[in-house]
Amino acid sequence: MVVNHQAPSAIVRAVLGTALFFVLLLPQASVYAARDQPVAERLSKYLQVNTTNPPGNEVAGTNFLGAILADAGIEYTVVESAPGRANLWARLPASDPDRAKPGIVLLHHIDVVSASSGHWDMPPFSGAIQDGYVYGRGALDTKGLGIMQLQAFLALAESGARLNRDVIYLATADEEAGGYFGAGWLVKQHPEIFEGIGFVLNEGGFGIRFSAALQMMSVEVTQKVPLWLRLTTTGRPGHGSMPQQETAVTRLVQAASRIIEAEFPVRVVDAVDVMFKGMAPFQRSEQERMDYADVAAAIKRPGFIEQLQREQPGNYAVLKNTCQLTRLIGSDKINVVPPQASLELDCRLLPDQSPQAFIAGLQKIVDDPAVEFETLVSWAPSISSSDTELFRAIEATTEKYNPGTALITGVSAAFTDSHFFRELGIVSYGYSPVLLAPAELRGIHGNNERISVDAMEQGARVLTELLSDFAVGTVH
């Protein structure tokens, strides 16, 4: 049960099962007031909140965001899916609920991946603003997006405009580990949040500025499907000084070798073909532009796939199923032959691939019935249509703020929380309203992650314009 209490600064808590729910409302003015806080400075403060997953500690992030919402007079709700694993949402309701259009969710995740400070030019949780950039883990993935969304949400609230649909600001936990304490948990435990919702704007898309005259905005509409597997073998344990003909480890190594050597076929699914055609004008040479314009023909040309893997591994990855061996688990002592050994595979499947059929194919490749396969993560493929009023609003806003920018639909080799909503039939787009230099994108999960102050300011303006076009007005 969620309890709403109208007294300023009140905190109402109620415990139901293992979840903790609370609503915080309206303390008086503070340093977080929307009208006083430049967007880059607000991001800087958010980046100083360390929400590395594990352990996540996203409750620190919801405390930060909640204070901003409260200062703006906006009621919000926080729920914990586990101790410290917090999720936050706030809703601006449609002016006429009985005639409201399908609502929209502005989604970002609070958690971030780890950062090795020794490889950064400045501490990764300093939120340093230097030479026109805001530095910090999460600047691009996805606290920068979350702050831009928040600024647009606050501007919409402050405008007092009549809304033709609900607008929800949603900040979640655990995306970097699969979303099972965040978006996935909310979909199961709080489906009421998403009643009447038709659209989600999330991470996954990106804009690239190759030059002043050559710009591209990619809106992600689908993604490869993760299939994370654990393969386990068993055998007779023993002392490392007494070699056996076969052990759990040797069987596992043989299985791993067969998988590593396997060649998965290259093929072009429709969504990927559309994406490559959209990227064709931005390639460096005439040959590359021709290849991208007809990638189904290019994959048959000797050398194309090898070059693509070297130079554009993300684009290479969406042309085939892939499996990466990421973990090996054996003995905990060098002189002990273990009774069991296991490996873990990060497989990513094209959107039309059946996970069950793929596993059956892997079992044939391994060709050892003693190797047990366990599925750790898997879900059904899904795709969002670009033939929607929201996509058309994105087109119009992009052209207004960045004239001449090509807008294309994208396929992500990685996954985001969007799949949880696509599986419910909710149109979900990966969309970030900023244009970055190609080198800046390498900061995602890398060193010196950063976003420019100018990009943050323009991104907030673009999202505000987009929401005004999409959510303001009456239903006729």
Side-chain angles (χ1 to χ4, degrees):
M1 178 175 63
V2 178
V3 180
N4 290 311
H5 188 79
Q6 298 302 317
S9 302
I11 300 177
V12 181
R13 300 178 183 266
V15 178
L16 178 61
T18 60
L20 176 66
F21 306 89
F22 51 97
V23 177
L24 298 90
L25 294 177
L26 315 188
Q28 300 304 310
S30 80
V31 295
Y32 298 117
R35 59 187 174 274
D36 298 329
Q37 191 80 28
V39 62
E41 292 183 16
R42 181 160 281 161
L43 172 61
S44 172
K45 295 182 187 304
Y46 195 16
L47 295 174
Q48 293 170 42
V49 181
N50 188 339
T51 51
T52 301
N53 186 7
N57 190 36
E58 293 90 351
V59 68
T62 61
N63 288 343
F64 173 82
L65 297 171
I68 299 171
L69 290 164
D71 283 348
I74 299 172
E75 179 181 338
Y76 67 95
T77 304
V78 172
V79 296
E80 287 189 353
S81 53
R85 311 308 303 273
N87 304 272
L88 172 150
W89 72 88
R91 182 188 303 263
L92 301 179
S95 300
D96 185 352
D98 293 333
R99 302 176 66 195
K101 293 182 177 182
I104 182 170
V105 171
L106 307 176
L107 170 65
H108 84 283
H109 61 87
I110 301 169
D111 63 318
V112 300
V113 297
S114 61
S116 300
S117 58
H119 299 283
W120 286 58
D121 292 339
M122 55 206 66
F125 296 100
S126 65
I129 301 177
Q130 183 170 311
D131 299 327
Y133 283 87
V134 188
Y135 286 79
R137 176 59 84 222
L140 296 173
D141 185 14
T142 61
K143 289 181 176 179
L145 178 62
I147 292 298
M148 287 184 275
Q149 291 176 341
L150 180 60
Q151 294 293 109
F153 185 81
L154 293 172
L156 192 63
E158 289 179 2
S159 74
R162 289 182 59 83
L163 302 183
N164 57 32
R165 65 184 81 234
D166 286 6
V167 178
I168 295 176
Y169 180 75
L170 178 61
T172 60
D174 198 44
E175 189 276 341
E176 295 292 358
Y180 297 107
F181 291 98
W185 185 84
L186 289 173
V187 163
K188 290 181 179 179
Q189 301 299 323
H190 288 279
E192 72 279 1
I193 301 171
F194 310 106
E195 291 177 2
I197 295 299
F199 303 94
V200 171
L201 285 181
N202 187 24
E203 66 173 327
F206 57 90
I208 300 180
R209 178 180 284 113
F210 298 95
S211 68
L214 203 60
Q215 300 176 158
M216 180 187 75
M217 181 72 71
S218 175
V219 178
E220 183 262 348
V221 297
T222 191
Q223 50 200 226
K224 291 183 75 177
V225 178
L227 177 62
W228 293 354
L229 300 171
R230 179 181 294 130
L231 277 57
T232 302
T233 56
T234 57
R236 182 164 58 87
H239 198 285
S241 66
M242 296 179 234
Q244 302 177 36
Q245 287 185 331
E246 183 177 82
T247 68
V249 173
T250 60
R251 292 188 82 125
L252 187 74
V253 169
Q254 290 168 356
S257 177
R258 291 174 185 140
I259 293 172
I260 291 169
E261 293 174 359
E263 285 292 334
F264 301 107
V266 176
R267 57 194 182 87
V268 183
V269 300
D270 290 345
V272 170
D273 186 46
V274 171
M275 182 182 78
F276 269 79
K277 282 181 168 60
M279 292 190 295
F282 302 95
Q283 305 313 304
R284 296 168 300 181
S285 69
E286 181 62 26
Q287 181 62 58
E288 289 173 321
R289 290 189 286 272
M290 291 172 58
D291 286 339
Y292 272 62
D294 189 358
V295 70
I299 62 176
K300 301 173 185 177
R301 182 173 65 80
F304 171 75
I305 286 296
E306 291 77 12
Q307 180 182 357
L308 195 66
Q309 185 176 15
R310 286 193 307 271
E311 299 180 2
Q312 299 289 338
N315 293 340
Y316 163 83
V318 297
L319 289 171
K320 62 188 299 187
N321 298 324
T322 59
C323 267
Q324 290 263 41
L325 197 165
T326 55
R327 299 187 71 196
L328 284 168
I329 305 164
S331 177
D332 59 358
K333 293 191 69 177
I334 194 170
N335 64 339
V336 174
V337 177
Q340 186 176 84
S342 63
L343 64 82
E344 292 179 2
L345 295 171
D346 181 354
C347 301
R348 306 292 175 114
L349 311 184
L350 293 173
D352 65 347
Q353 173 70 63
S354 159
Q356 293 74 22
F358 185 80
I359 291 173
L362 275 185
Q363 289 171 328
K364 288 182 180 180
I365 291 169
V366 169
D367 193 26
D368 185 348
V371 177
E372 298 181 3
F373 281 67
E374 177 188 359
T375 299
L376 304 177
V377 169
S378 179
W379 52 74
S382 55
I383 186 169
S384 293
S385 170
S386 59
D387 185 16
T388 68
E389 56 180 324
L390 178 56
F391 196 90
R392 288 186 284 274
I394 292 172
E395 285 182 309
T397 307
T398 300
E399 180 59 26
K400 178 177 179 179
Y401 279 88
N402 296 289
T405 298
L407 189 72
I408 70 169
T409 55
V411 180
S412 176
F415 67 83
T416 71
D417 284 335
S418 289
H419 75 92
F420 291 115
F421 304 100
R422 289 180 181 140
E423 291 164 19
L424 297 177
I426 297 173
V427 172
S428 302
Y429 294 140
Y431 171 65
S432 179
V434 297
L435 293 166
L436 304 174
E440 291 175 294
L441 289 170
R442 290 197 288 269
I444 298 174
H445 288 205
N447 298 326
N448 293 323
E449 186 177 353
R450 65 179 190 172
I451 188 170
S452 74
V453 173
D454 289 344
M456 284 296 300
E457 292 174 348
Q458 179 167 4
R461 288 194 298 271
V462 171
L463 277 176
T464 300
E465 176 86 8
L466 178 63
L467 284 185
S468 296
D469 288 348
F470 189 67
V472 173
T474 57
V475 179
H476 300 288

